[in-house]
Amino acid sequence: MLLIEDLEVELAGKKLLKHIDLEIKPGETHILFGPNGSGKTSLLMTIMGYPQYKVTGGKIIFKGVDITHLPINERAELGIGMAYQRPPTIHGVKTHQMVKICARDRDVEVTELARRVNFQDFLDRDVNVGFSGGEIKRSELLQLMAQDPDLMLFDEPESGVDIENIALVGQTIARLLQKECTPTDIKSMLQVKRERTKMGLIITHTGHILEYVNADKGQVLFDGVLSCSDNPRGILECISQMGYEECVRCQIASN
Amino acid sequence: MPNREQLRERALKAVNKPAALGADIDLAQFDLSPVERRPMDKEELLSLPPIEKQRLMMAGIDVTESERSGTYIQMDTSVVRCGTKQEGIEVIPIRQALEKYDWIWDYYWKLVAVDADKYTAAVELNLHDGYVIRALPGAKSVYPVQACLYIDKPNLQQNVHNIIIAEEDSELHIITGCSTSPHTTRGAHLGISEFFVKKNAKLSFTMIHNWAEDMVVRPRSVARVEEGGLFLNNYICMKPVRTLQLYPTTHLVGENAVARYYSIIVGSPGSEYDVGGRVHLKEVGTRAEIVARTISNGGKIIARGHLIGEVPDIKAHLECKGLILNGGIIHAIPELEGRVDGVEMSHEAAVGKIAAEEIAYLMSRGLSEDEATATIVRGFLSVDIPGLPPQLKAEIDRAVEQSDKTVM
């Protein structure tokens, strides 16, 4: 479980996140909405542990461990992983090497994994060097597949992906988050669903991802404050009809 | 020997002539006297102490000789091993070649000027030995030929002259390693190399330097590439050295000739490296590429590059990237010289540090900060070199792996 309590975060002296409370239970996936500059990426980077995002109040607890001040790699070891929107390029490190790095001690069939996101032709390319927007997304998913974390943070996974690949990306995320489950002879659908452990937090602008991933909850981040928590489709509908302006009113009302 | 006397006379006039670049070295401080050594058979080579074998291995030398088509090993001033396993590939000590073959005079001192500076002069006046490696017309080396210039005697000045000839339509790959024995940290190495790549021939030359803290190193090399020929020149130095200065020059004299240089330098504290590459593009359709990756770990590195486009329709690119990791200096000096209309030349130079966001990215995949840094450094140093045989690629990768220990 991920539990965030009264979190306050600053970047370069500027307060970005205020009084954030958030709880993601095992098996749950949340969608994070919000206008540009509202602090969505900052929240993900803070959970991942980027040191420039300075926690000035509150705490983050993951699997019962207070990770508020843990370095990035220790969070990764605990089972947090992220699919970045704009990851850096790493010259001279091949994508297949990167997939192995993500897998750590586990044995992975790199080519087989890559085939699942239609990325086998990129394995000999340097990580992210010259990749298009959509290729970056698939590369990030491939790395997450190898890393297999328990909490996955997705920063706009569908942006820049062409129509041909959008379903692939959506379905891959659904599979990573155990949203595509089927009952077995021994276990009912309910049992299978209850035993899901993977957690997800997905930033989206367009909401396209909702067509593939059955998310449990939606959250709206507005001006550094989580202002709304509701059914994600309901939120998307509200935003598309009334825009984020309505969130301001909700926020005032809730105060 | 038609002109040896003339060469000697010219050399004598240049004995005190300082080089254009690099610290001026007083050669009188070194010992020139020959060191007699018996030739080694394969058994003896294999039964060298492990620590010596390790030094050879780090310089790219395979003591089992299994994946090599020929071997030349010179210890101090004497040739201890010289031979070839493949027909069409010749490996001959240069002193023997000078005594026996007239053809050598078409090559000896034809590209490097004997009176270029005090170092070229010193080599001619007291030539210890060196190798002549030749691929006969049409011959293709299955495995690389390996050559090693080893210094065992403390304070020795080793003078060598090498000649490499790839005859028409041949393909020749050479790995050459220079090293000192574990107990020797002081000495000088002066080496002349002249490369002849003839019509449609392909020559790759990979040099790994593994010197020691107090070594003075002054190689002098020039290559000449004819029509359709390819010269691939790789240079790796990741070990300390007192002072090293080299500026290999290539003349592309035939249409569509190509030269590519790749260098990887890791500069240790107290060491000075003045390295570069220069290519004259003299015929239509010639191409040149110079790629350098340098890391300063407290040392001083000057990375030069000079491309000279003398005719239209040539293409040349220079790329010089440096990382300063633990102090030191990296001075990149890229030069482009277009002398006519219609040349296409470019360069890209950068000196900087490892980006924090790259480290964080790798840490979020589970690597520790140190592991992430090492991964980025290895990536930075690993350049893709097209046309290099797998054995040589493996040697370069091995050297780069070793860099972890030097850099971290």
Side-chain angles (χ1 to χ4, degrees):
Chain A
M1 187 168 73
L2 175 76
L3 187 64
I4 297 179
E5 287 178 355
D6 200 20
L7 187 72
E8 288 203 357
V9 175
E10 278 182 17
L11 177 69
K14 192 175 168 247
K15 191 162 280 186
L16 295 178
L17 299 173
K18 298 161 218 165
H19 307 297
I20 302 283
D21 290 308
L22 178 70
E23 183 181 339
I24 302 178
K25 294 197 179 85
E28 277 184 8
T29 290
H30 293 208
I31 303 287
L32 193 56
F33 297 96
N36 289 328
S38 61
K40 301 187 299 297
T41 298
S42 304
L43 179 57
L44 262 52
M45 298 296 257
T46 306
I47 297 171
M48 194 67 245
Y50 275 69
Q52 59 268 46
Y53 294 88
K54 211 172 133 200
V55 176
T56 51
K59 55 186 170 181
I60 309 171
I61 293 161
F62 181 62
K63 293 183 181 173
V65 181
D66 185 340
I67 62 163
T68 317
H69 300 289
L70 280 192
I72 302 175
N73 59 312
E74 289 180 29
R75 300 184 197 211
E77 270 164 43
L78 270 177
I80 301 179
M82 179 155 171
Y84 295 81
Q85 193 188 4
R86 287 188 202 88
T89 55
I90 302 186
H91 286 273
V93 177
K94 304 293 176 201
T95 302
H96 65 83
Q97 287 173 275
M98 190 66 172
V99 176
K100 287 222 177 80
I101 286 172
C102 293
R104 291 298 262 179
D105 307 326
R106 271 169 295 120
D107 248 345
V108 287
E109 262 303 324
V110 178
T111 317
E112 186 42 46
L113 274 189
R115 203 163 280 139
R116 289 201 226 153
V117 281
N118 194 17
F119 214 62
Q120 62 276 19
D121 295 342
F122 294 82
L123 292 174
D124 279 332
R125 297 256 304 260
D126 288 359
V127 178
N128 300 328
V129 176
F131 289 4
S132 71
E135 285 158 4
I136 281 176
K137 299 295 141 79
R138 283 184 282 146
S139 161
E140 289 293 299
L141 289 181
L142 173 59
Q143 292 174 46
L144 271 194
M145 278 156 64
Q147 195 177 353
D148 194 28
D150 296 321
L151 169 64
M152 290 170 238
L153 311 167
F154 296 91
D155 195 349
E156 294 197 34
E158 78 273 61
S159 72
V161 179
D162 52 42
I163 293 169
E164 209 179 330
N165 282 302
I166 188 89
L168 180 69
V169 166
Q171 285 154 6
T172 305
I173 293 173
R175 198 166 49 222
L176 275 167
L177 291 169
Q178 299 170 327
K179 291 299 177 192
E180 276 188 346
C181 45
T182 42
T184 64
D185 292 346
I186 320 158
K187 289 177 183 168
S188 71
M189 190 65 180
L190 188 65
Q191 277 174 306
V192 172
K193 278 190 172 173
R194 272 189 190 150
E195 283 172 17
R196 292 185 303 199
T197 53
K198 301 294 184 190
M199 292 162 265
L201 184 56
I202 307 176
I203 296 180
T204 182
H205 263 300
T206 60
H208 289 323
I209 197 74
L210 290 174
E211 287 166 35
Y212 305 94
V213 180
N214 193 7
D216 302 273
K217 234 182 216 176
Q219 315 260 4
V220 178
L221 191 61
F222 194 87
D223 198 18
V225 179
L226 275 180
S227 59
C228 177
S229 184
D230 201 351
N231 172 308
R233 285 182 183 281
I235 294 179
L236 184 63
E237 213 169 292
C238 174
I239 297 166
S240 351
Q241 283 170 12
M242 289 170 269
Y244 284 109
E245 292 310 308
E246 193 56 25
C247 300
V248 184
R249 286 178 52 193
C250 289
Q251 215 169 321
I252 294 164
S254 72
N255 279 342
Chain B
M1 275 180 262
N3 52 4
R4 197 82 199 254
E5 268 317 307
Q6 289 166 7
L7 287 168
R8 216 184 140 71
E9 270 173 40
R10 282 170 61 199
L12 277 169
K13 284 181 193 151
V15 281
N16 293 315
K17 183 178 171 186
L21 301 169
D24 190 35
I25 306 297
D26 175 14
L27 293 175
Q29 60 185 308
F30 300 107
D31 182 2
L32 267 173
S33 52
V35 186
E36 288 304 323
R37 287 185 182 275
R38 286 181 307 107
M40 271 187 199
D41 60 23
K42 203 171 163 182
E43 291 300 304
E44 282 173 279
L45 190 60
L46 282 169
S47 57
L48 280 171
I51 189 161
E52 304 250 347
K53 269 200 281 198
Q54 171 73 13
R55 298 285 297 179
L56 289 172
M57 196 196 83
M58 302 248 299
I61 302 303
D62 176 2
V63 288
T64 70
E65 301 181 349
S66 59
E67 293 208 325
R68 299 291 187 257
S69 40
T71 297
Y72 174 93
I73 300 176
Q74 178 176 334
M75 283 211 174
D76 295 329
T77 63
S78 308
V79 182
V80 296
R81 191 148 178 83
C82 181
T84 164
K85 293 195 293 195
Q86 195 190 329
E87 214 174 307
I89 309 285
E90 298 178 341
V91 184
I92 317 159
I94 198 162
R95 288 177 56 157
Q96 188 185 322
L98 290 168
E99 276 167 30
K100 278 189 167 166
Y101 305 112
D102 284 339
W103 54 259
I104 196 71
W105 298 99
D106 294 336
Y107 304 100
Y108 189 66
W109 291 117
K110 289 298 184 209
L111 297 178
V112 177
V114 68
D115 52 3
D117 55 37
K118 64 192 335 183
Y119 313 108
T120 56
V123 172
E124 176 57 14
L125 295 173
N126 271 295
L127 177 64
H128 291 140
D129 222 316
Y131 51 80
V132 177
I133 301 176
R134 179 157 84 136
L136 297 181
K140 305 229 185 299
S141 69
V142 181
Y143 292 119
V145 176
Q146 60 183 357
C148 178
L149 300 161
Y150 198 77
I151 296 184
D152 179 62
K153 191 184 169 193
N155 208 38
L156 179 79
Q157 174 184 322
Q158 185 183 51
N159 294 344
V160 299
H161 193 140
N162 309 312
I163 287 177
I164 297 95
I165 307 159
E167 296 284 358
E168 286 191 9
D169 299 308
S170 68
E171 183 173 331
L172 178 60
H173 300 282
I174 299 173
I175 179 155
T176 176
C178 295
S179 190
T180 55
S181 71
H183 60 88
T184 301
T185 56
R186 185 186 151 87
H189 168 88
L190 312 182
I192 312 300
S193 297
E194 298 180 283
F195 301 90
F196 299 84
V197 182
K198 302 205 180 166
K199 202 172 157 185
N200 298 324
K202 178 178 172 184
L203 169 64
S204 85
F205 185 79
T206 300
M207 181 152 80
I208 300 180
H209 271 172
N210 246 322
W211 299 111
E213 288 78 0
D214 278 317
M215 286 293 299
V216 169
V217 182
R218 291 289 182 270
R220 296 290 176 258
S221 42
V222 178
R224 184 177 186 276
V225 187
E226 296 179 11
E227 185 185 336
L230 167 68
F231 178 45
L232 198 56
N233 186 28
N234 308 314
Y235 178 65
I236 291 136
C237 181
M238 307 211 177
K239 288 285 142 82
V241 66
R242 169 65 57 225
T243 159
L244 177 148
Q245 187 270 317
L246 53 83
Y247 208 157
T249 299
T250 295
H251 299 272
L252 299 175
V253 299
E255 280 186 17
N256 303 317
V258 177
R260 291 208 295 262
Y261 286 45
Y262 298 89
S263 326
I264 301 170
I265 318 277
V266 174
S268 308
S271 302
E272 271 192 37
Y273 312 77
D274 186 334
V275 296
R278 181 186 282 127
V279 182
H280 290 266
L281 298 102
K282 296 178 161 171
E283 279 295 333
V284 168
T286 53
R287 279 172 294 143
E289 182 182 34
I290 296 177
V291 176
R293 295 273 189 278
T294 57
I295 290 185
S296 171
N297 198 22
K300 178 176 181 186
I301 302 172
I302 303 175
R304 300 175 195 273
H306 191 182
L307 295 165
I308 304 117
E310 302 186 13
V311 294
D313 298 321
I314 57 97
K315 231 179 175 169
H317 181 69
L318 201 159
E319 180 186 308
C320 180
K321 290 188 181 163
L323 280 182
I324 302 179
L325 290 191
N326 286 306
I329 297 173
I330 296 179
H331 184 174
I333 312 177
E335 290 183 67
L336 302 179
E337 190 178 333
R339 294 187 182 167
V340 287
D341 291 11
V343 297
E344 215 177 301
M345 307 169 82
S346 56
H347 82 72
E348 191 186 343
V351 176
K353 58 174 186 177
I354 295 180
E357 64 158 350
E358 291 180 31
I359 295 177
Y361 185 52
L362 286 168
M363 284 174 76
S364 74
R365 301 302 189 221
L367 296 187
S368 70
E369 188 170 352
D370 285 350
E371 289 169 330
T373 308
T375 303
I376 294 163
V377 166
R378 268 201 305 272
F380 174 80
L381 293 178
S382 75
V383 273
D384 289 325
I385 305 175
L388 201 65
Q391 293 84 9
L392 297 187
K393 169 122 188 46
E395 292 300 345
I396 292 177
D397 289 346
R398 198 209 315 264
V400 169
E401 288 293 322
Q402 287 289 329
S403 73
D404 277 10
K405 291 165 197 162
T406 320
V407 173
M408 297 304 148

